[in-house]
Structures are given as structure tokens and as C-alpha cells.
Amino acid sequence: MKPTHGSIDAEKGLDRLLDRTIVAGYSRLGYAIRRRRWPADDPRPGSLAGRTALVTGGGSGLGEATVLGLARLGARVHLLVRSPDRAAPAVARIEGQLRREGLAADLRMERCDVSDPAMVDAFAEEFRARDGGHSVLDVLVHNAGVMPPERTESVDGHELSVATHVLGPIRLTEHLLPAMRRSEAGARVVFVASGGMYTQPMPVDDPDFRLGDYRGAVAYARSKRMQVELTPILDRRWSSDRVSTYVMHPGWADTPGIARSLPLFRTLTRPLLRPAEAGADTAVWLAATEPAPPSGTFWHDRRQRPTSYRSTTHPGPAETGELWRWAASAAGVATP
């Protein structure tokens, strides 16, 4: 039966209610309710066959689930990880799952700490040189994440969360643009943010969290706010290279990172937490659905979402521009 305008409006109303209540929308319940309305063939099976994807932090949790989802659709997937030894069990799990589903796996392990500019540059240079200097990258998912309990700095002196979630991804994308330009379908970049960013304003005056009492969860949320606010700017910057840029949040997913960094939260909410595959679903969908969704946008559970619900967390253009100039300089990216 074809949905009526009334049923569509009711569905959208329920979706907005789930989103605003947070617990319902971010939990496994919200995912279960929403997915009932999604077409079974979206993304289309085999939609990434012959294409190449790269997932940072692909060795566990949401990254592992994202790799599995992209590989299911036929992509060759590169896992960019800090420790190949620690990530090896994830590769074995993914390969085993695909075998059970009667699918082939083409997974490549790559070593790189995205918070380290020298490692990012070395990896990107080597990747671009493959295939006689004609390497192609169709999908880049920025998933690598950290939540240090105490303020920690990257090798070049930036707070580790912002270095891992903002500066490293910008630098890596910039250096991989030559490979993404060769994507026949147009490349897609997806940032994995967090719904926790809704609690934080953009830290324009202190992006490196040098002031005040440091808390890992706050630093994490601040850096995720930066990802969300910078995505439209990055979209404008990369769109001339036929690159579509997205940012999404996974809801509350049960991952090793949550267990390690937020043990009390996990204990209290564990019955509500989504499996990692549900958290990764929108990242995989953004990478593969056709036609490509509007670029420069923020998503959760396959629907575009507001970036702020309170005026105190909504930055103006001047603030966003100021943060971009800082981030571009810190990431070593030239601006006009």
C-alpha cells in the first residue's frame, strides 16, 4: 500500500519525537522503529562492487561494523589503524562473517595514527603512489576516536581529541584528494561524530582545551561539535573535486570504546544500547545510497538532523570562520 500524506506526516512526527527525547531516539528502540520504514534494497546489494573504501579506526567497535557494512556491499576496504596486531581479530571476525553469508572479503590493513601529521603524510603519499600513481579512493570514513581521561597532547602539541577527530582527518583528506578525484562516481567522505556534541558550544576561544578543568567526555563532545560545524565549509572546499562530505552520529552504540571510556554510562544504559552495526548503519548508507544525499549535511538514522537544539550551542558564521582558520592552520592546510 502506498503511504498517504497523513501517514508520512505521522512518521516524520514520530521521528522528530524520538530525536528530541534522546533516550528513545539514540537507543536500540529508535533504530528498530525507524528501520521498519527503510527499503530493503537501500543501499542496493553490490552497490560498492569495484570501489575502494578506507575506514580510520577500523579495528573495533563502530569502525569494525562500518568495514563489515562496506565490504558486504562489495567494496575493497582498507582499515587504517594504529596497531595492526590489535586489529587482526576484527579482520578475522569480518572475514568469517562474510564467508558465512556467502560473500567474498577484500580487506587491507594499513598502519597510521591519524593524530600524527608525519604518519598521515607518509601513508597518504604511499597510497597515492600505488597503481603507478593512479590509485583511486571512492569512500573515506573518518571513524578513529579517542577519549583520554586526562589532557593528552598529540606529537605536534594539540589536545589529542581534536587532533584525532578534526585536524588529522582534514589533513588526511586533503592529501588523499588526488585519489578521490579519480572516483568515477564521485567520492564520499563521512565523519562519525557523536550526539554528545549537542551539549557543547563550539570552543572558538580554546579549541585545544588549555583552559579550565579538563574532562575527557567534554573534550570528545567539543571536538565532535567542531566536526559538525566544519562539515559545510569542508563541503564547499572539496566539492570542486567531486567529493561529497557528510557528518553523522551513531546514537548510543555498545562498543569497546564506550566500555573503556564511559563504564558507568554503559552499566546504566546497556539494555538500551544499540549493537555496533546499528550505530554504523548511517555511515554505510551515506557511503553507498543512490542518489547521493545532499552534501555538507548532518545525519542520524538515515535522516538529516538539526545541528543544534539550543541557541547557546549554535555558532554564527564569524565563529565558524574563526574556528576554520585555526583548524586549517593547525592541520597544515592552506586557505585562500
Side-chain angles (χ1 to χ4, degrees), residues 180-245:
M180 288 192 281
R181 291 188 195 109
R182 299 188 188 99
S183 173
E184 292 185 7
R188 302 187 193 184
V189 175
V190 181
F191 288 85
V192 179
S194 165
M197 70 94 199
Y198 280 119
T199 66
Q200 296 297 315
M202 198 165 66
V204 178
D205 297 328
D206 185 25
D208 263 323
F209 213 147
R210 299 184 185 279
L211 307 175
D213 295 327
Y214 183 89
R215 287 188 292 156
V218 172
Y220 184 88
R222 285 163 50 129
S223 67
K224 296 299 181 178
R225 166 62 70 183
M226 294 184 211
Q227 286 182 330
V228 170
E229 300 298 345
L230 291 177
T231 290
I233 293 177
L234 296 172
D235 170 54
R236 292 192 293 271
R237 183 178 178 90
W238 298 331
S239 61
S240 61
D241 293 299
R242 297 175 56 248
V243 174
S244 298
T245 307

Side-chain angles (χ1 to χ4, degrees), residues 31-152:
Y31 178 75
I33 292 173
R34 289 163 173 153
R35 70 174 297 184
R36 292 182 303 180
R37 305 291 297 185
W38 298 341
D41 60 349
D42 183 20
R44 177 180 54 80
S47 55
L48 295 180
R51 300 188 190 177
T52 299
L54 190 153
V55 179
T56 71
S60 67
L62 290 171
E64 178 181 342
T66 302
V67 172
L68 174 60
L70 297 173
R72 269 195 184 119
L73 296 173
R76 170 192 294 171
V77 188
H78 297 257
L79 293 77
L80 200 65
V81 298
R82 287 181 294 179
S83 171
D85 288 342
R86 288 202 300 269
V91 172
R93 286 191 295 268
I94 295 167
E95 290 176 336
Q97 181 61 38
L98 292 173
R99 276 196 302 272
R100 288 189 289 274
E101 296 174 13
L103 300 171
D106 189 352
L107 307 181
R108 313 290 174 91
M109 193 90 76
E110 312 276 7
R111 181 175 179 270
C112 180
D113 181 343
V114 296
S115 74
D116 184 331
M119 292 188 73
V120 167
D121 293 355
F123 166 74
E125 181 179 2
E126 195 272 333
F127 187 92
R128 294 194 311 266
R130 296 175 188 177
D131 300 323
H134 293 86
S135 60
V136 178
L137 183 61
D138 301 284
V139 174
L140 173 55
V141 180
H142 291 296
N143 167 79
V146 295
M147 192 187 295
E150 298 177 349
R151 188 179 184 281
T152 307

